[in-house]
Amino acid sequence: QSALTQPASVSGSPGQSITISCTGTSSDVGGYDYVSWFQQHPDKAPKLMIYDVSNRPSGVSNRFSGSKSGNTASLTISGLQAEDEADYYCNSYTTSSTWVFGGGTKLTVL
Amino acid sequence: QLQLQESGPGLVKPSETLSLTCTVSGASISSSSYYWGWIRQPPGKGLEWIGNIYYSGSTNYSPSLKSRVTISADTSKNQVSLILSSVTAADTAVYYCARRSMGSSRREWGQGTLVIVSS
């Protein structure tokens, strides 16, 4: 199974909105609504931001939202803040009953 | 409150076997509501799913690691274990224990433990 495709980096200014894409195939992202997004700050464990495409866990800011169209899932962060600067990973279930991650996207807040 | 605590040797020699334990508190690994698994991250690189186990004992593994991986559960100790055989330097990584909700992609993580493969 191949890793899901994410842009290596994205950037935005405080207050702006950015979107991170996560492209897979009909065997993973396109086939199931089991896509999640994780935020990881340096030397920290990943933190769940979005699960099941668009659900936000309790305690996660509503500035974070998720969506999916076809084989591509997206994470949108609105009203960018300095604390949002981190690595972001998508994760999807696959037809093989396994899970696959994206390569990760480094978000820089300018 | 759920706590996942990974433990095991921080240094393993090439060709030997890596063994890690995840001690779970605040939840029972015998629950039918969750899967318990392992994910790793080589230094400076991305996340890689290793595999998981269900309370019934059924397992799923990454195709790229399947021949070398075993995940097991000890319900008496409420622990989940990872065994990775014939390790090489490429297996150097932070290893995370994680819980995933049944029928969902919702996943919670331990703090991780760094394992270095070196002679």
PDB file of all heavy atoms in Angstrom, chain A residues 60-94:
ATOM      1  N   VAL A  60     -11.140  20.405  20.644  1.00  0.00           N
ATOM      2  CA  VAL A  60     -10.447  20.909  19.449  1.00  0.00           C
ATOM      3  C   VAL A  60     -11.200  22.129  18.923  1.00  0.00           C
ATOM      4  O   VAL A  60     -12.427  22.105  18.787  1.00  0.00           O
ATOM      5  CB  VAL A  60     -10.360  19.825  18.367  1.00  0.00           C
ATOM      6  CG1 VAL A  60      -9.820  20.407  17.058  1.00  0.00           C
ATOM      7  CG2 VAL A  60      -9.457  18.691  18.849  1.00  0.00           C
ATOM      8  N   SER A  61     -10.452  23.158  18.616  1.00  0.00           N
ATOM      9  CA  SER A  61     -11.043  24.413  18.158  1.00  0.00           C
ATOM     10  C   SER A  61     -11.889  24.205  16.898  1.00  0.00           C
ATOM     11  O   SER A  61     -11.538  23.420  16.012  1.00  0.00           O
ATOM     12  CB  SER A  61      -9.938  25.418  17.851  1.00  0.00           C
ATOM     13  OG  SER A  61     -10.447  26.558  17.205  1.00  0.00           O
ATOM     14  N   ASN A  62     -12.998  24.951  16.825  1.00  0.00           N
ATOM     15  CA  ASN A  62     -13.847  24.868  15.630  1.00  0.00           C
ATOM     16  C   ASN A  62     -13.226  25.588  14.439  1.00  0.00           C
ATOM     17  O   ASN A  62     -13.833  25.680  13.363  1.00  0.00           O
ATOM     18  CB  ASN A  62     -15.250  25.406  15.919  1.00  0.00           C
ATOM     19  CG  ASN A  62     -15.250  26.850  16.386  1.00  0.00           C
ATOM     20  OD1 ASN A  62     -14.218  27.533  16.320  1.00  0.00           O
ATOM     21  ND2 ASN A  62     -16.391  27.319  16.858  1.00  0.00           N
ATOM     22  N   ARG A  63     -12.006  26.073  14.592  1.00  0.00           N
ATOM     23  CA  ARG A  63     -11.276  26.621  13.445  1.00  0.00           C
ATOM     24  C   ARG A  63     -10.774  25.488  12.544  1.00  0.00           C
ATOM     25  O   ARG A  63     -10.379  25.738  11.407  1.00  0.00           O
ATOM     26  CB  ARG A  63     -10.084  27.452  13.933  1.00  0.00           C
ATOM     27  CG  ARG A  63     -10.472  28.667  14.755  1.00  0.00           C
ATOM     28  CD  ARG A  63      -9.260  29.526  15.095  1.00  0.00           C
ATOM     29  NE  ARG A  63      -8.263  28.823  15.913  1.00  0.00           N
ATOM     30  CZ  ARG A  63      -7.105  28.363  15.444  1.00  0.00           C
ATOM     31  NH1 ARG A  63      -6.783  28.538  14.158  1.00  0.00           N
ATOM     32  NH2 ARG A  63      -6.253  27.758  16.257  1.00  0.00           N
ATOM     33  N   PHE A  64     -10.803  24.287  13.071  1.00  0.00           N
ATOM     34  CA  PHE A  64     -10.365  23.115  12.308  1.00  0.00           C
ATOM     35  C   PHE A  64     -11.587  22.394  11.745  1.00  0.00           C
ATOM     36  O   PHE A  64     -12.532  22.100  12.471  1.00  0.00           O
ATOM     37  CB  PHE A  64      -9.571  22.152  13.201  1.00  0.00           C
ATOM     38  CG  PHE A  64      -8.236  22.683  13.619  1.00  0.00           C
ATOM     39  CD1 PHE A  64      -8.121  23.553  14.699  1.00  0.00           C
ATOM     40  CD2 PHE A  64      -7.085  22.313  12.931  1.00  0.00           C
ATOM     41  CE1 PHE A  64      -6.894  24.055  15.083  1.00  0.00           C
ATOM     42  CE2 PHE A  64      -5.846  22.809  13.316  1.00  0.00           C
ATOM     43  CZ  PHE A  64      -5.755  23.685  14.393  1.00  0.00           C
ATOM     44  N   SER A  65     -11.543  22.112  10.434  1.00  0.00           N
ATOM     45  CA  SER A  65     -12.641  21.391   9.820  1.00  0.00           C
ATOM     46  C   SER A  65     -12.109  20.445   8.758  1.00  0.00           C
ATOM     47  O   SER A  65     -11.028  20.666   8.193  1.00  0.00           O
ATOM     48  CB  SER A  65     -13.657  22.358   9.205  1.00  0.00           C
ATOM     49  OG  SER A  65     -13.053  23.130   8.182  1.00  0.00           O
ATOM     50  N   GLY A  66     -12.867  19.378   8.512  1.00  0.00           N
ATOM     51  CA  GLY A  66     -12.449  18.382   7.538  1.00  0.00           C
ATOM     52  C   GLY A  66     -13.547  18.100   6.540  1.00  0.00           C
ATOM     53  O   GLY A  66     -14.731  18.266   6.829  1.00  0.00           O
ATOM     54  N   SER A  67     -13.125  17.647   5.351  1.00  0.00           N
ATOM     55  CA  SER A  67     -14.083  17.307   4.315  1.00  0.00           C
ATOM     56  C   SER A  67     -13.453  16.276   3.389  1.00  0.00           C
ATOM     57  O   SER A  67     -12.262  15.957   3.502  1.00  0.00           O
ATOM     58  CB  SER A  67     -14.491  18.554   3.518  1.00  0.00           C
ATOM     59  OG  SER A  67     -13.353  19.102   2.859  1.00  0.00           O
ATOM     60  N   LYS A  68     -14.271  15.768   2.482  1.00  0.00           N
ATOM     61  CA  LYS A  68     -13.771  14.787   1.513  1.00  0.00           C
ATOM     62  C   LYS A  68     -14.561  14.905   0.224  1.00  0.00           C
ATOM     63  O   LYS A  68     -15.783  15.100   0.237  1.00  0.00           O
ATOM     64  CB  LYS A  68     -13.909  13.366   2.076  1.00  0.00           C
ATOM     65  CG  LYS A  68     -13.193  12.303   1.265  1.00  0.00           C
ATOM     66  CD  LYS A  68     -13.431  10.895   1.814  1.00  0.00           C
ATOM     67  CE  LYS A  68     -14.735  10.320   1.328  1.00  0.00           C
ATOM     68  NZ  LYS A  68     -14.854   8.862   1.580  1.00  0.00           N
ATOM     69  N   SER A  69     -13.843  14.758  -0.886  1.00  0.00           N
ATOM     70  CA  SER A  69     -14.468  14.707  -2.194  1.00  0.00           C
ATOM     71  C   SER A  69     -13.731  13.669  -3.019  1.00  0.00           C
ATOM     72  O   SER A  69     -12.531  13.826  -3.291  1.00  0.00           O
ATOM     73  CB  SER A  69     -14.403  16.076  -2.883  1.00  0.00           C
ATOM     74  OG  SER A  69     -14.960  15.997  -4.179  1.00  0.00           O
ATOM     75  N   GLY A  70     -14.434  12.620  -3.387  1.00  0.00           N
ATOM     76  CA  GLY A  70     -13.795  11.553  -4.145  1.00  0.00           C
ATOM     77  C   GLY A  70     -12.655  10.932  -3.361  1.00  0.00           C
ATOM     78  O   GLY A  70     -12.831  10.523  -2.213  1.00  0.00           O
ATOM     79  N   ASN A  71     -11.491  10.878  -3.971  1.00  0.00           N
ATOM     80  CA  ASN A  71     -10.323  10.245  -3.345  1.00  0.00           C
ATOM     81  C   ASN A  71      -9.457  11.225  -2.560  1.00  0.00           C
ATOM     82  O   ASN A  71      -8.356  10.868  -2.130  1.00  0.00           O
ATOM     83  CB  ASN A  71      -9.469   9.569  -4.409  1.00  0.00           C
ATOM     84  CG  ASN A  71     -10.193   8.421  -5.103  1.00  0.00           C
ATOM     85  OD1 ASN A  71     -11.120   7.839  -4.551  1.00  0.00           O
ATOM     86  ND2 ASN A  71      -9.773   8.116  -6.323  1.00  0.00           N
ATOM     87  N   THR A  72      -9.939  12.450  -2.378  1.00  0.00           N
ATOM     88  CA  THR A  72      -9.153  13.472  -1.686  1.00  0.00           C
ATOM     89  C   THR A  72      -9.893  14.008  -0.457  1.00  0.00           C
ATOM     90  O   THR A  72     -11.033  14.452  -0.550  1.00  0.00           O
ATOM     91  CB  THR A  72      -8.830  14.642  -2.624  1.00  0.00           C
ATOM     92  OG1 THR A  72      -8.032  14.169  -3.724  1.00  0.00           O
ATOM     93  CG2 THR A  72      -8.036  15.727  -1.892  1.00  0.00           C
ATOM     94  N   ALA A  73      -9.192  13.934   0.667  1.00  0.00           N
ATOM     95  CA  ALA A  73      -9.691  14.536   1.905  1.00  0.00           C
ATOM     96  C   ALA A  73      -8.954  15.846   2.137  1.00  0.00           C
ATOM     97  O   ALA A  73      -7.838  16.038   1.643  1.00  0.00           O
ATOM     98  CB  ALA A  73      -9.463  13.584   3.076  1.00  0.00           C
ATOM     99  N   SER A  74      -9.581  16.735   2.889  1.00  0.00           N
ATOM    100  CA  SER A  74      -8.969  18.040   3.138  1.00  0.00           C
ATOM    101  C   SER A  74      -9.151  18.464   4.583  1.00  0.00           C
ATOM    102  O   SER A  74     -10.192  18.180   5.194  1.00  0.00           O
ATOM    103  CB  SER A  74      -9.580  19.106   2.225  1.00  0.00           C
ATOM    104  OG  SER A  74      -9.357  18.810   0.863  1.00  0.00           O
ATOM    105  N   LEU A  75      -8.138  19.131   5.093  1.00  0.00           N
ATOM    106  CA  LEU A  75      -8.183  19.749   6.413  1.00  0.00           C
ATOM    107  C   LEU A  75      -8.066  21.252   6.204  1.00  0.00           C
ATOM    108  O   LEU A  75      -7.120  21.711   5.561  1.00  0.00           O
ATOM    109  CB  LEU A  75      -7.042  19.262   7.282  1.00  0.00           C
ATOM    110  CG  LEU A  75      -6.879  19.972   8.634  1.00  0.00           C
ATOM    111  CD1 LEU A  75      -8.019  19.579   9.574  1.00  0.00           C
ATOM    112  CD2 LEU A  75      -5.520  19.648   9.271  1.00  0.00           C
ATOM    113  N   THR A  76      -9.022  21.999   6.731  1.00  0.00           N
ATOM    114  CA  THR A  76      -8.990  23.452   6.634  1.00  0.00           C
ATOM    115  C   THR A  76      -8.830  24.050   8.022  1.00  0.00           C
ATOM    116  O   THR A  76      -9.512  23.626   8.963  1.00  0.00           O
ATOM    117  CB  THR A  76     -10.268  23.998   5.979  1.00  0.00           C
ATOM    118  OG1 THR A  76     -10.355  23.501   4.634  1.00  0.00           O
ATOM    119  CG2 THR A  76     -10.246  25.525   5.942  1.00  0.00           C
ATOM    120  N   ILE A  77      -7.902  24.982   8.124  1.00  0.00           N
ATOM    121  CA  ILE A  77      -7.706  25.715   9.370  1.00  0.00           C
ATOM    122  C   ILE A  77      -8.000  27.175   9.074  1.00  0.00           C
ATOM    123  O   ILE A  77      -7.350  27.786   8.212  1.00  0.00           O
ATOM    124  CB  ILE A  77      -6.266  25.568   9.902  1.00  0.00           C
ATOM    125  CG1 ILE A  77      -5.866  24.091   9.966  1.00  0.00           C
ATOM    126  CG2 ILE A  77      -6.151  26.218  11.283  1.00  0.00           C
ATOM    127  CD1 ILE A  77      -4.395  23.870  10.342  1.00  0.00           C
ATOM    128  N   SER A  78      -8.982  27.719   9.756  1.00  0.00           N
ATOM    129  CA  SER A  78      -9.329  29.116   9.549  1.00  0.00           C
ATOM    130  C   SER A  78      -8.783  29.960  10.696  1.00  0.00           C
ATOM    131  O   SER A  78      -8.485  29.441  11.778  1.00  0.00           O
ATOM    132  CB  SER A  78     -10.848  29.271   9.457  1.00  0.00           C
ATOM    133  OG  SER A  78     -11.455  28.803  10.641  1.00  0.00           O
ATOM    134  N   GLY A  79      -8.643  31.247  10.448  1.00  0.00           N
ATOM    135  CA  GLY A  79      -8.145  32.141  11.492  1.00  0.00           C
ATOM    136  C   GLY A  79      -6.812  31.672  12.049  1.00  0.00           C
ATOM    137  O   GLY A  79      -6.652  31.532  13.260  1.00  0.00           O
ATOM    138  N   LEU A  80      -5.858  31.407  11.173  1.00  0.00           N
ATOM    139  CA  LEU A  80      -4.556  30.858  11.575  1.00  0.00           C
ATOM    140  C   LEU A  80      -3.972  31.569  12.784  1.00  0.00           C
ATOM    141  O   LEU A  80      -3.988  32.803  12.871  1.00  0.00           O
ATOM    142  CB  LEU A  80      -3.570  30.957  10.421  1.00  0.00           C
ATOM    143  CG  LEU A  80      -3.410  29.760   9.488  1.00  0.00           C
ATOM    144  CD1 LEU A  80      -2.347  30.055   8.445  1.00  0.00           C
ATOM    145  CD2 LEU A  80      -3.093  28.497  10.254  1.00  0.00           C
ATOM    146  N   GLN A  81      -3.420  30.760  13.680  1.00  0.00           N
ATOM    147  CA  GLN A  81      -2.741  31.284  14.860  1.00  0.00           C
ATOM    148  C   GLN A  81      -1.342  30.692  14.919  1.00  0.00           C
ATOM    149  O   GLN A  81      -1.083  29.610  14.374  1.00  0.00           O
ATOM    150  CB  GLN A  81      -3.534  30.933  16.123  1.00  0.00           C
ATOM    151  CG  GLN A  81      -4.931  31.514  16.157  1.00  0.00           C
ATOM    152  CD  GLN A  81      -5.705  31.137  17.409  1.00  0.00           C
ATOM    153  OE1 GLN A  81      -5.203  30.444  18.291  1.00  0.00           O
ATOM    154  NE2 GLN A  81      -6.949  31.620  17.497  1.00  0.00           N
ATOM    155  N   ALA A  82      -0.470  31.377  15.616  1.00  0.00           N
ATOM    156  CA  ALA A  82       0.921  30.924  15.701  1.00  0.00           C
ATOM    157  C   ALA A  82       1.016  29.503  16.246  1.00  0.00           C
ATOM    158  O   ALA A  82       1.857  28.716  15.812  1.00  0.00           O
ATOM    159  CB  ALA A  82       1.719  31.892  16.575  1.00  0.00           C
ATOM    160  N   GLU A  83       0.146  29.156  17.171  1.00  0.00           N
ATOM    161  CA  GLU A  83       0.169  27.829  17.795  1.00  0.00           C
ATOM    162  C   GLU A  83      -0.229  26.712  16.833  1.00  0.00           C
ATOM    163  O   GLU A  83      -0.049  25.535  17.155  1.00  0.00           O
ATOM    164  CB  GLU A  83      -0.767  27.806  19.002  1.00  0.00           C
ATOM    165  CG  GLU A  83      -2.245  27.943  18.646  1.00  0.00           C
ATOM    166  CD  GLU A  83      -3.056  28.580  19.751  1.00  0.00           C
ATOM    167  OE1 GLU A  83      -2.620  29.626  20.258  1.00  0.00           O
ATOM    168  OE2 GLU A  83      -4.126  28.045  20.071  1.00  0.00           O
ATOM    169  N   ASP A  84      -0.778  27.077  15.680  1.00  0.00           N
ATOM    170  CA  ASP A  84      -1.157  26.057  14.692  1.00  0.00           C
ATOM    171  C   ASP A  84       0.060  25.551  13.919  1.00  0.00           C
ATOM    172  O   ASP A  84      -0.042  24.543  13.203  1.00  0.00           O
ATOM    173  CB  ASP A  84      -2.180  26.624  13.690  1.00  0.00           C
ATOM    174  CG  ASP A  84      -3.459  27.074  14.357  1.00  0.00           C
ATOM    175  OD1 ASP A  84      -3.813  26.517  15.417  1.00  0.00           O
ATOM    176  OD2 ASP A  84      -4.107  27.996  13.815  1.00  0.00           O
ATOM    177  N   GLU A  85       1.173  26.226  14.037  1.00  0.00           N
ATOM    178  CA  GLU A  85       2.373  25.799  13.319  1.00  0.00           C
ATOM    179  C   GLU A  85       2.812  24.439  13.844  1.00  0.00           C
ATOM    180  O   GLU A  85       3.122  24.272  15.028  1.00  0.00           O
ATOM    181  CB  GLU A  85       3.493  26.819  13.489  1.00  0.00           C
ATOM    182  CG  GLU A  85       4.727  26.495  12.668  1.00  0.00           C
ATOM    183  CD  GLU A  85       5.664  27.676  12.507  1.00  0.00           C
ATOM    184  OE1 GLU A  85       5.272  28.657  11.845  1.00  0.00           O
ATOM    185  OE2 GLU A  85       6.790  27.605  13.048  1.00  0.00           O
ATOM    186  N   ALA A  86       2.810  23.445  12.950  1.00  0.00           N
ATOM    187  CA  ALA A  86       3.064  22.055  13.333  1.00  0.00           C
ATOM    188  C   ALA A  86       3.077  21.206  12.076  1.00  0.00           C
ATOM    189  O   ALA A  86       2.872  21.710  10.966  1.00  0.00           O
ATOM    190  CB  ALA A  86       1.967  21.553  14.281  1.00  0.00           C
ATOM    191  N   ASP A  87       3.311  19.915  12.258  1.00  0.00           N
ATOM    192  CA  ASP A  87       3.154  18.948  11.172  1.00  0.00           C
ATOM    193  C   ASP A  87       1.753  18.354  11.258  1.00  0.00           C
ATOM    194  O   ASP A  87       1.237  18.113  12.356  1.00  0.00           O
ATOM    195  CB  ASP A  87       4.189  17.837  11.282  1.00  0.00           C
ATOM    196  CG  ASP A  87       5.600  18.328  11.054  1.00  0.00           C
ATOM    197  OD1 ASP A  87       5.802  19.274  10.256  1.00  0.00           O
ATOM    198  OD2 ASP A  87       6.531  17.761  11.663  1.00  0.00           O
ATOM    199  N   TYR A  88       1.164  18.107  10.087  1.00  0.00           N
ATOM    200  CA  TYR A  88      -0.173  17.530  10.036  1.00  0.00           C
ATOM    201  C   TYR A  88      -0.149  16.269   9.179  1.00  0.00           C
ATOM    202  O   TYR A  88       0.442  16.251   8.098  1.00  0.00           O
ATOM    203  CB  TYR A  88      -1.171  18.542   9.453  1.00  0.00           C
ATOM    204  CG  TYR A  88      -1.422  19.693  10.397  1.00  0.00           C
ATOM    205  CD1 TYR A  88      -0.559  20.792  10.423  1.00  0.00           C
ATOM    206  CD2 TYR A  88      -2.489  19.671  11.292  1.00  0.00           C
ATOM    207  CE1 TYR A  88      -0.758  21.837  11.307  1.00  0.00           C
ATOM    208  CE2 TYR A  88      -2.703  20.716  12.179  1.00  0.00           C
ATOM    209  CZ  TYR A  88      -1.837  21.796  12.186  1.00  0.00           C
ATOM    210  OH  TYR A  88      -2.024  22.818  13.071  1.00  0.00           O
ATOM    211  N   TYR A  89      -0.812  15.226   9.687  1.00  0.00           N
ATOM    212  CA  TYR A  89      -0.865  13.945   8.990  1.00  0.00           C
ATOM    213  C   TYR A  89      -2.311  13.499   8.805  1.00  0.00           C
ATOM    214  O   TYR A  89      -3.121  13.599   9.738  1.00  0.00           O
ATOM    215  CB  TYR A  89      -0.145  12.866   9.799  1.00  0.00           C
ATOM    216  CG  TYR A  89       1.344  13.067   9.930  1.00  0.00           C
ATOM    217  CD1 TYR A  89       1.889  13.789  10.993  1.00  0.00           C
ATOM    218  CD2 TYR A  89       2.221  12.524   8.989  1.00  0.00           C
ATOM    219  CE1 TYR A  89       3.248  13.976  11.119  1.00  0.00           C
ATOM    220  CE2 TYR A  89       3.593  12.706   9.103  1.00  0.00           C
ATOM    221  CZ  TYR A  89       4.090  13.434  10.165  1.00  0.00           C
ATOM    222  OH  TYR A  89       5.449  13.608  10.295  1.00  0.00           O
ATOM    223  N   CYS A  90      -2.601  12.979   7.630  1.00  0.00           N
ATOM    224  CA  CYS A  90      -3.893  12.340   7.423  1.00  0.00           C
ATOM    225  C   CYS A  90      -3.706  10.831   7.546  1.00  0.00           C
ATOM    226  O   CYS A  90      -2.589  10.308   7.456  1.00  0.00           O
ATOM    227  CB  CYS A  90      -4.489  12.698   6.068  1.00  0.00           C
ATOM    228  SG  CYS A  90      -3.517  12.190   4.630  1.00  0.00           S
ATOM    229  N   ASN A  91      -4.818  10.138   7.756  1.00  0.00           N
ATOM    230  CA  ASN A  91      -4.784   8.693   7.996  1.00  0.00           C
ATOM    231  C   ASN A  91      -6.091   8.112   7.481  1.00  0.00           C
ATOM    232  O   ASN A  91      -7.157   8.703   7.719  1.00  0.00           O
ATOM    233  CB  ASN A  91      -4.619   8.453   9.498  1.00  0.00           C
ATOM    234  CG  ASN A  91      -4.531   6.980   9.879  1.00  0.00           C
ATOM    235  OD1 ASN A  91      -5.161   6.518  10.834  1.00  0.00           O
ATOM    236  ND2 ASN A  91      -3.717   6.235   9.155  1.00  0.00           N
ATOM    237  N   SER A  92      -6.022   6.989   6.778  1.00  0.00           N
ATOM    238  CA  SER A  92      -7.231   6.402   6.211  1.00  0.00           C
ATOM    239  C   SER A  92      -7.245   4.891   6.364  1.00  0.00           C
ATOM    240  O   SER A  92      -6.198   4.233   6.324  1.00  0.00           O
ATOM    241  CB  SER A  92      -7.347   6.763   4.726  1.00  0.00           C
ATOM    242  OG  SER A  92      -8.432   6.085   4.115  1.00  0.00           O
ATOM    243  N   TYR A  93      -8.440   4.355   6.484  1.00  0.00           N
ATOM    244  CA  TYR A  93      -8.640   2.906   6.453  1.00  0.00           C
ATOM    245  C   TYR A  93      -8.515   2.442   5.004  1.00  0.00           C
ATOM    246  O   TYR A  93      -8.738   3.226   4.068  1.00  0.00           O
ATOM    247  CB  TYR A  93     -10.028   2.591   6.998  1.00  0.00           C
ATOM    248  CG  TYR A  93     -10.350   1.126   7.138  1.00  0.00           C
ATOM    249  CD1 TYR A  93      -9.676   0.341   8.059  1.00  0.00           C
ATOM    250  CD2 TYR A  93     -11.337   0.528   6.358  1.00  0.00           C
ATOM    251  CE1 TYR A  93      -9.974  -1.009   8.202  1.00  0.00           C
ATOM    252  CE2 TYR A  93     -11.642  -0.815   6.499  1.00  0.00           C
ATOM    253  CZ  TYR A  93     -10.960  -1.579   7.414  1.00  0.00           C
ATOM    254  OH  TYR A  93     -11.255  -2.906   7.556  1.00  0.00           O
ATOM    255  N   THR A  94      -8.143   1.171   4.811  1.00  0.00           N
ATOM    256  CA  THR A  94      -8.011   0.643   3.460  1.00  0.00           C
ATOM    257  C   THR A  94      -8.808  -0.650   3.285  1.00  0.00           C
ATOM    258  O   THR A  94      -9.200  -1.290   4.254  1.00  0.00           O
ATOM    259  CB  THR A  94      -6.536   0.357   3.092  1.00  0.00           C
ATOM    260  OG1 THR A  94      -6.161  -0.924   3.604  1.00  0.00           O
ATOM    261  CG2 THR A  94      -5.594   1.410   3.643  1.00  0.00           C
TER     262      THR A  94
END
